[in-house]
């Protein structure tokens, strides 16, 4: 082994939640583990996310009074997933998700709460209209991370307040609806942030960790306690195969090739090909514009390509976690639009001024419909979110904050905001036919005044109501757009990452083109083709499976039972 620079039991490529958990589980089983991260920051897309995880049958949900049935959960996912996804992969996820969460909460500072978040297709067999399969992380004090917090990825602008303040999901709801105590809580949070001396002199980082920062931060704390190293600026260059087995990998370190031998295996957890324009055009033409992806810039598919180079098969490379996104010029990714579309007082129209979908549906469904509309008619990229004065000063709309006047938003945001005293004037700003937009708004208003949407049934499904305003009756998602001035902001068919990748089996082993496992090679998260196929069953079916299959992979490699 003299030609190797280092030897470990397990090499994990990527520092998102799936990779870090896999490393941690393996380390707990006394494996010698190394994590390498391509970027200068750790945490991956997981750190920038809401960190929701979809976990059927969890102890946390049971304690909240929700008795789940794993067979129902399997039926639900199986009915939505692609035909080429094996039953065994779905079953492995459903059966191991709750044990993974139990292990996580027992062995790390990360704690999760079950949330009454309806499944995205709760009306389907096995779906849950009351929720409690989606779990959200509790806030965490980041000070134990020490200097490592400086290289943790910031949350996405869509998942933080004012671009720097970490905010929990329940606090977002309190602020959104101006619930009792919202001003006091906001004032306290801002004061806590600014009084974090002397750290505030040198960093904008909020050391009260929430959402994706809480998840990845807590995992990093646990890894540090077990002495698991995490190398930054260490991209994977190639996998080394000897016969039918992966025996190591070559990374780049300090600008030079660095050869690492593995005794047990390599876990590829480096994300999808979100920001690789050429790979998107070649594999996922429906979602071809890398600029609008919400994935981090280092997700360029390197590890998928490395797998293909040693004979690994791929699956569903045409697929992505579709989503409508706002794009602010100068930013390196799109901002996911989750809440805004369901709130009353807004609509989405194409470039002809017509509505063409249920705005309140899940972001995956809306993103798919936008992408398909754009491919077929060329008039949905961008589409427009149209809203009135009342909405503007009551709710957020992408980069717009209701408490901040138009003129105080930074120039890049102001440059994409359109405003008109009348609907006709707004249409002129948008480049849309005034008569068509006026007709669309008039029809919408007539129905919204009765709480109805006969065209697209907005506000009827359990998921639609999740982000509606409960104070708005009879339909929490509908209110006429009738108080000028009127506003519009462009919204694009985008995604929060690709979800096709290396083909794997129920133990997260990568398969070759003949369908046989490649010994010593595993893939999780968006590195692997998702068990969800091209569907999105509920909030957390990205990170939930990434962590669950990371847990499965580690135990398979080590034979552990910790």
């Amino acid at each position: 082994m003299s030609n190797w620079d280092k030897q470990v039991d397990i090499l994990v490529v990527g520092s998102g939640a799936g990779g870090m958990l896999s490393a941690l589980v393996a380390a707990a089983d006394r494996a010698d583990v190394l994590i390498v991260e391509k970027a200068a920051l750790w945490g991956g897309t997981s750190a920038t996310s809401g960190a929701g995880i979809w976990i059927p049958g969890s102890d946390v949900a049971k304690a909240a009074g929700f008795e789940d049935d794993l067979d129902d959960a399997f039926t639900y996912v199986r009915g939505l997933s692609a035909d080429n996804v094996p039953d065994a992969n779905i079953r492995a996820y459903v059966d191991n998700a709750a044990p993974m969460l139990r292990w996580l909460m027992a062995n790390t500072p990360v704690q999760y709460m079950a949330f009454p978040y309806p499944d995205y297709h709760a009306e389907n067999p096995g779906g849950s209209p009351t929720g409690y399969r989606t779990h959200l992380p509790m806030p965490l004090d980041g000070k134990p991370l020490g200097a490592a917090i400086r290289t943790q990825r910031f949350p996405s602008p869509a998942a933080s307040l004012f671009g720097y303040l970490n905010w929990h999901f329940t606090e977002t709801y309190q602020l959104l609806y101006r619930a009792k105590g919202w001003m006091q809580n906001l004032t306290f949070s801002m004061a806590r942030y600014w009084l974090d001396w002397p750290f505030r002199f040198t960093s904008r980082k909020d050391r009260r960790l929430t959402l994706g920062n809480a998840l990845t931060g807590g995992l990093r704390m646990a890894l540090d306690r077990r002495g698991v190293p995490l190398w930054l600026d260490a991209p994977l260059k190639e996998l080394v195969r000897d016969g039918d087995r992966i025996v190591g990998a070559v990374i780049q370190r300090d600008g030079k090739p660095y050869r690492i031998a593995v005794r047990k295996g390599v876990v590829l957890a480096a994300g999808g090909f979100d920001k690789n324009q050429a790979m998107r055009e070649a594999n996922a033409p429906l979602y071809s514009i890398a600029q609008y992806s919400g994935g981090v810039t280092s997700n360029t598919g390197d590890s998928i390509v490395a797998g293909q180079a040693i004979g690994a098969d791929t699956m569903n490379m045409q697929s992505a976690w579709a989503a409508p996104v706002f794009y602010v010029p100068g930013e390196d990714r799109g901002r996911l639009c989750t809440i805004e579309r369901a709130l009353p007082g807004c609509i989405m129209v194409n470039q002809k001024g017509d509505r063409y979908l249920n705005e309140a549906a899940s972001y995956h469904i809306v993103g798919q419909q936008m992408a398909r509309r754009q491919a077929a008619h060329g008039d949905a990229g961008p589409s427009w979110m149209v809203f009135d004065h009342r909405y503007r000063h009551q709710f957020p709309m992408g980069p717009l904050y209701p408490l901040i006047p138009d003129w105080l938003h930074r120039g890049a945001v102001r440059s994409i905001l359109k405003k008109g005293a009348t609907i006709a004037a707004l249409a002129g700003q948008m480049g849309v036919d005034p008569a068509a937009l006026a007709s669309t708004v008039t029809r919408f208003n007539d129905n919204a005044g009765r709480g109805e949407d006969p065209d697209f049934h907005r506000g009827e499904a359990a998921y639609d109501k999740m982000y509606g305003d409960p104070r708005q009756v009879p339909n929490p998602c509908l209110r006429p757009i009738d108080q000028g001035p009127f506003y519009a902001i462009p919204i694009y068919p985008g995604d929060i990452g690709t979800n096709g990748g290396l083909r794997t089996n129920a133990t997260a082993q990568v398969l070759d083109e003949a369908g046989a496992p490649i010994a010593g090679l595993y893939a999780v998260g968006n590195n692997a083709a998702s068990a969800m196929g091209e569907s999105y069953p509920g909030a957390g079916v990205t990170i939930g499976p990434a962590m669950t299959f990371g847990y499965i992979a580690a135990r398979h490699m080590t034979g552990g039972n910790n």
Side-chain angles (χ1 to χ4, degrees):
M1 304 295 285
S2 59
N3 60 331
W4 298 102
D5 297 301
K6 184 177 179 63
Q7 189 172 23
V8 296
D9 290 329
I10 296 169
L11 175 68
V12 176
V13 181
S15 64
M20 285 203 287
L21 180 67
S22 191
L24 184 61
V25 173
D29 276 326
R30 296 174 295 283
D32 178 17
V33 186
L34 169 65
I35 304 172
V36 293
E37 166 59 51
K38 171 185 178 180
L41 302 173
W42 57 271
T45 304
S46 300
T48 72
S49 74
I53 54 177
W54 194 84
I55 308 293
S58 79
D59 300 339
V60 182
K62 187 174 183 179
F66 180 63
E67 293 286 346
D68 206 353
D69 185 312
L70 295 186
D71 288 338
D72 283 348
F74 173 82
T75 297
Y76 176 63
V77 175
R78 177 69 279 175
L80 290 166
S81 188
D83 291 342
N84 62 357
V85 175
D87 285 0
N89 290 31
I90 298 173
R91 193 82 237 185
Y93 170 44
V94 168
D95 289 348
N96 287 278
M100 179 279 295
L101 180 59
R102 186 182 305 124
W103 192 96
L104 174 77
M105 292 177 63
N107 290 276
T108 78
V110 180
Q111 299 298 301
Y112 268 87
M113 60 177 284
F115 202 78
Y117 200 123
D119 288 340
Y120 288 178
H121 303 276
E123 65 282 359
N124 284 19
S128 173
T130 59
Y132 292 104
R133 287 173 174 164
T134 292
H135 297 62
L136 297 169
M138 300 301 293
L140 191 64
D141 183 359
K143 293 184 180 69
L145 283 172
I149 198 170
R150 298 180 184 277
T151 51
Q152 183 185 31
R153 282 197 180 274
F154 270 112
S156 161
S160 60
L161 193 62
F162 308 130
Y164 63 83
L165 195 65
N166 288 347
W167 205 249
H168 189 251
F169 197 82
T170 54
E171 296 165 338
T172 299
Y173 262 71
Q174 184 189 47
L175 180 62
L176 184 66
Y177 302 124
R178 314 291 200 278
K180 183 179 180 180
W182 73 270
M183 179 61 80
Q184 179 181 358
N185 194 18
L186 177 60
T187 302
F188 175 80
S189 296
M190 294 184 71
R192 173 195 46 75
Y193 173 84
W194 286 108
L195 293 174
D196 184 12
W197 306 110
F199 188 74
R200 192 54 54 233
F201 283 115
T202 59
S203 176
R204 290 181 62 242
K205 184 77 179 180
D206 188 351
R207 292 200 288 182
R208 184 214 183 214
L209 306 181
T210 61
L211 306 177
N213 272 202
L215 171 58
T216 55
L219 287 169
R220 181 69 189 269
M221 291 175 199
L223 287 163
D224 288 347
R225 284 202 295 264
R226 292 192 178 272
V228 177
L230 194 165
W231 293 355
L232 298 175
D233 295 308
L236 173 70
K237 306 309 290 184
E238 64 177 292
L239 295 166
V240 181
R241 181 171 182 169
D242 185 3
D244 63 354
R245 183 175 186 84
I246 296 300
V247 296
V250 180
I251 67 165
Q252 183 173 300
R253 194 177 192 207
D254 298 327
K256 301 175 182 178
Y258 193 92
R259 294 173 59 83
I260 302 173
V262 295
R263 303 181 189 93
K264 297 182 183 295
V266 175
V267 180
L268 300 178
F273 52 98
D274 317 351
K275 294 300 183 179
N276 188 321
Q277 185 63 43
M279 282 187 74
R280 295 183 78 103
E281 291 172 0
N283 296 285
L286 199 61
Y287 311 103
S288 63
I289 304 179
Q291 175 177 273
Y292 299 144
S293 177
V296 297
T297 55
S298 55
N299 288 352
T300 54
D302 308 6
S303 49
I304 295 175
V305 173
Q308 290 176 297
I310 54 87
D313 196 14
T314 58
M315 189 171 79
N316 294 339
M317 292 285 281
Q318 78 285 352
S319 184
W321 304 112
V325 300
F326 299 107
Y327 181 72
V328 178
E331 294 187 351
D332 62 8
R333 72 189 86 164
R335 298 191 185 198
L336 171 64
C337 175
T338 302
I339 298 173
E340 299 92 334
R341 297 169 287 105
L343 291 166
C346 71
I347 56 172
M348 184 187 297
V349 300
N350 61 23
Q351 293 167 23
K352 296 183 176 70
D354 299 326
R355 287 181 73 209
Y356 61 99
L357 47 69
N358 170 13
E359 297 91 343
S362 79
Y363 48 83
H364 184 63
I365 292 298
V366 170
Q368 285 183 324
Q369 290 178 331
M370 292 180 72
R372 291 167 183 162
R373 174 86 193 190
Q374 176 63 16
H377 302 284
D379 61 6
S383 295
W384 293 94
M385 291 298 307
V386 176
F387 49 106
D388 65 3
H389 177 81
R390 182 178 177 186
Y391 186 108
R392 168 71 182 88
H393 295 285
Q394 184 178 11
F395 302 125
M397 178 58 80
L400 298 172
Y401 292 106
L403 304 180
I404 300 177
D406 300 343
W407 62 268
L408 197 54
H409 282 86
R410 61 190 178 93
V413 174
R414 292 199 308 273
S415 71
I416 60 175
L417 180 64
K418 308 302 179 183
K419 183 178 180 180
T422 64
I423 291 295
L426 179 66
Q429 292 289 315
M430 297 162 57
V432 169
D433 177 55
L437 183 61
S439 176
T440 296
V441 171
T442 298
R443 176 171 174 79
F444 175 81
N445 287 351
D446 288 345
N447 291 312
R450 298 187 295 273
E452 300 173 356
D453 179 20
D455 296 322
F456 301 103
H457 309 286
R458 176 169 158 185
E460 295 179 13
Y463 176 79
D464 291 15
K465 297 182 178 71
M466 171 68 190
Y467 288 122
D469 184 347
R471 301 167 299 184
Q472 181 69 35
V473 292
N475 188 323
C477 301
L478 296 175
R479 184 178 70 211
I481 302 170
D482 57 7
Q483 296 186 15
F486 301 94
Y487 296 85
I489 190 169
I491 187 166
Y492 297 84
D495 61 81
I496 55 173
T498 58
N499 70 350
L502 301 177
R503 188 155 68 103
T504 57
N505 63 15
T507 52
Q509 291 176 285
V510 175
L511 306 179
D512 64 20
E513 293 181 355
I518 300 173
L521 186 61
Y522 299 77
V524 304
N526 290 348
N527 237 159
S530 173
M532 304 300 111
E534 295 189 62
S535 73
Y536 211 127
V541 297
T542 54
I543 297 178
M547 295 173 66
T548 299
F549 282 108
Y551 171 81
I552 291 171
R555 291 169 66 86
H556 190 263
M557 280 186 286
T558 63
N561 56 8
N562 66 82

